[in-house]
Amino acid sequence: MYAPSRRAFLALASSAYALASRSVQAQAPKGTFSYGDVVQQATALAKQPFDVESAKIPDELSKLTYDSYREIRFRRDKAFWREGGSDFRLLPFHLGFLHNKPVQIHIINHGTAVPIAFTTSLFEYGKVPVPKNLSPALGFAGFAVTTNLNDPKVQDELISFLGASYFRLIGGGHRYGLSARSLALNVGGEGPEEFPFMRALWVEEPSRDTTELVIYALLDSPSVAGAFRYVVRPGRDTSMDVTATIIPRKEIERIGIAPLTSMFQAGEGDLGQRTDFRPEIHDSDGLMLQSGSGEWIWRPIRNPKALRISSFGDKNPRGFGLMQRDRDFGSYQDLEARYDARPGYWVQPQGDWGEGRIDLIEIPTVNEAFDNIVACWTPKTPLQSGPAAEFSYRISAISTTWHLHPYAQVQQTFNGSDIEDGVAEGKGTKRFIVDFAGGDLPYYQSEPDRLELVATTTAGAITTKILTFNAPLKGARAIVDVTLPDGQSAELRMFLRARNRTLSETWTATWSVPPGDAAGPQSSKK
């Protein structure tokens, strides 16, 4: 189900479909366009059978190779809005190669939505022959918006929509890393994953004094139609408020709300998965959660030997996200990728989301070019055919998690070997080493005996617990040994406290001892 070329497949999943019928594409009366019009279009679209016929793009575009497609660049001197005094610029992406689903892009000016006509004069083609006789209604592959994010004289890319329902946003000092999606269907399920895509995008034209960007999208797939509203506020921690209206065509058992997609090949404890001089290779190093009850949880990400799904059951979660907590260049030593500058995405639900779970899907990979990590919210009750479901949340691109809560945070996780020598036959043991820092831990430096390590496991037994003060971090190092019978899996948890006062977030991890040498898919539910 998950081929190694996952990222290429995701792009391919955005192949072109025919535009919706005239009744769906009908524009609102002049001067009144709003999110309600997109919802109306999505509602009408959901009542029609899904259009399985692809909207063909010219062969000369679909046959472009990776290298030839990269030759095509939008001409920045043609950027939209450059004459209006705004700090924002709109730059459409050209169709071709794997990006062959035409998206109709509209600019909303004073309430009137006007489609952008395609013309080759908007692009530089490098060594690629300039295509002939392309229709003004061809459409685009998506778009990027730039603004003065880091320097008032420099336009930096702020956000981009490209491929299926994917988008990426960054804050001050960031490099693009993980991606967000508008919707995920059957991710990690037994059947093939379904990739909804954007049929149309609308962007409100910003004025000279505009400090936020408003975008609308019409989404479609065999199972759902949907309307989305995004309000983007650039800054050191760029944020986006998302409103999603989902109209299922049929009952959906496994739907992912606010899905995030990232890459993890190797971390500080994964010496066997390193392929070159770089100590670590990842866009994100952990899943961070704030449960509905207020507990803060940190789950280190791993590159597993087999597909692994971990589910964190909850009711009305307060937040979750994939984070790049290690910001030290020395941890990566990569001058090109600059993994130390990749942002984390923090999702904060608006309103009550009810019962469900946060799913973390970890897929084996041997190549950093492919996304292999997914996190999303999955409602407990399947969405039924017909009625619309609405979800609202804020997603922020952040560099640090220190401001999110006052507790000590996990800084590093090191794992011992899966099966150690000297253990009784039929059992395995593993050592987990976790460094906590920050919060009130420096206060206990002079009397570390006040600190208590609380560690639990859902199976097997904890045989060793050691807690020592970590002077370089002004924190504490926890060492836990766990034994587990062959063929079983366990969920471990540990946190620090002083008497009855919680001092740290909760670290959690899943491990298993395979029967013999067979390592099958691992799944845990919390």
Side-chain angles (χ1 to χ4, degrees), residues 72-87:
I72 304 175
R73 298 174 180 270
F74 186 85
R75 295 180 55 181
R76 292 214 168 203
D77 62 320
K78 300 287 187 179
F80 294 87
W81 309 329
R82 68 191 184 282
E83 303 296 339
S86 169
D87 288 337

Side-chain angles (χ1 to χ4, degrees), residues 35 154 168 477:
Y35 180 56
V154 178
R168 297 195 293 180
R477 172 165 291 182

Side-chain angles (χ1 to χ4, degrees), residues 16-145:
Y17 276 84
L19 295 176
S21 68
R22 291 182 180 178
S23 62
V24 173
Q25 288 295 313
Q27 296 293 331
K30 184 176 180 180
T32 64
F33 191 91
S34 68
Y35 180 56
D37 296 297
V38 186
V39 173
Q40 185 177 6
Q41 291 192 32
T43 302
L45 189 62
K47 293 178 180 178
Q48 302 175 9
F50 177 71
D51 183 3
V52 298
E53 294 297 326
S54 296
K56 300 295 183 181
I57 65 174
D59 287 344
E60 59 188 322
L61 298 183
S62 61
K63 292 181 179 179
L64 289 173
T65 64
Y66 171 79
D67 290 328
S68 60
Y69 180 72
R70 283 172 59 87
E71 289 279 326
I72 304 175
R73 298 174 180 270
F74 186 85
R75 295 180 55 181
R76 292 214 168 203
D77 62 320
K78 300 287 187 179
F80 294 87
W81 309 329
R82 68 191 184 282
E83 303 296 339
S86 169
D87 288 337
F88 296 101
R89 303 286 185 272
L90 178 69
L91 296 76
F93 291 120
H94 202 287
L95 285 162
F97 184 47
L98 299 177
H99 304 295
N100 55 3
K101 260 195 181 69
V103 179
Q104 300 301 313
I105 301 174
H106 309 73
I107 293 178
I108 304 171
N109 190 315
H110 298 292
T112 300
V114 179
I116 299 176
F118 174 84
T119 171
T120 56
S121 65
L122 294 174
F123 298 90
E124 296 175 346
Y125 288 84
K127 299 177 182 178
V128 177
V130 178
K132 305 293 184 182
N133 303 318
L134 295 180
S135 168
L138 176 65
F140 301 90
F143 68 78
V145 173

Side-chain angles (χ1 to χ4, degrees), residues 183-454:
L183 196 66
L185 298 176
N186 201 38
V187 61
E190 295 181 359
E193 186 174 348
E194 184 177 318
F195 293 90
F197 62 93
M198 302 302 193
R199 287 192 180 272
L201 291 161
W202 295 262
V203 190
E204 291 188 3
E205 181 168 353
S207 68
R208 179 181 180 276
D209 299 321
T210 297
T211 58
E212 60 185 32
L213 192 69
V214 181
I215 303 167
Y216 307 98
L218 178 65
L219 177 141
D220 198 14
S221 81
S223 298
V224 303
F228 287 78
R229 181 176 187 263
Y230 316 89
V231 180
V232 187
R233 298 179 180 88
R236 184 185 63 180
D237 295 339
T238 294
S239 67
M240 172 193 281
D241 288 340
V242 181
T243 302
T245 304
I246 310 301
I247 306 104
R249 285 189 170 94
K250 59 183 180 181
E251 181 178 296
I252 302 175
E253 287 284 345
R254 195 180 187 105
I255 188 169
I257 305 300
L260 307 175
T261 302
S262 191
M263 180 278 296
F264 186 98
Q265 183 179 345
E268 65 263 9
D270 303 315
L271 300 180
Q273 291 170 315
R274 291 169 52 183
T275 57
D276 53 41
F277 70 95
R278 294 170 297 174
E280 300 182 42
I281 307 169
H282 51 75
D283 287 336
S284 309
D285 55 11
L287 171 69
M288 189 174 187
L289 316 172
Q290 186 187 19
S291 69
S293 64
E295 182 184 18
W296 288 90
I297 299 171
W298 177 259
R299 166 64 185 273
I301 295 173
R302 286 289 175 259
N303 181 3
K305 296 178 181 178
L307 172 69
R308 181 165 64 187
I309 302 173
S310 300
S311 296
F312 299 80
D314 202 0
K315 181 178 181 180
N316 298 326
R318 300 186 190 181
F320 70 93
L322 294 177
M323 299 299 158
Q324 186 75 316
R325 186 169 275 183
D326 189 341
R327 317 301 300 183
D328 183 3
F329 171 79
S331 296
Y332 309 97
Q333 293 292 340
D334 196 320
L335 290 169
E336 181 181 1
R338 291 301 306 273
Y339 289 116
D340 58 298
R342 305 289 174 104
Y345 285 172
W346 180 243
V347 174
Q348 295 170 281
Q350 308 296 307
D352 293 340
W353 280 12
E355 292 189 61
R357 64 185 187 270
I358 294 167
D359 285 332
L360 174 66
I361 298 106
E362 298 165 295
I363 306 163
T365 187
V366 296
N367 194 314
E368 66 195 281
F370 309 122
D371 288 335
N372 64 317
I373 305 297
V374 180
C376 61
W377 170 257
T378 302
K380 179 180 179 180
T381 303
L383 299 189
Q384 302 299 313
S385 173
E390 185 170 297
F391 297 88
S392 297
Y393 59 92
R394 172 171 292 178
I395 179 171
S396 301
I398 62 177
S399 300
T400 177
T401 57
W402 289 115
H403 63 289
L404 295 179
H405 65 66
Y407 304 107
Q409 299 188 6
V410 175
Q411 298 303 293
Q412 300 179 110
T413 299
F414 301 95
N415 295 343
S417 60
D418 288 338
I419 300 177
E420 302 282 359
D421 294 333
V423 179
E425 184 177 354
K427 288 186 178 182
T429 187
K430 192 167 188 175
R431 169 163 286 188
F432 296 87
I433 304 168
V434 180
D435 284 334
F436 294 89
D440 290 337
L441 291 186
Y443 171 81
Y444 294 93
Q445 186 171 4
S446 63
E447 198 171 354
D449 290 343
R450 287 195 178 194
L451 298 176
E452 179 188 357
L453 170 61
V454 180

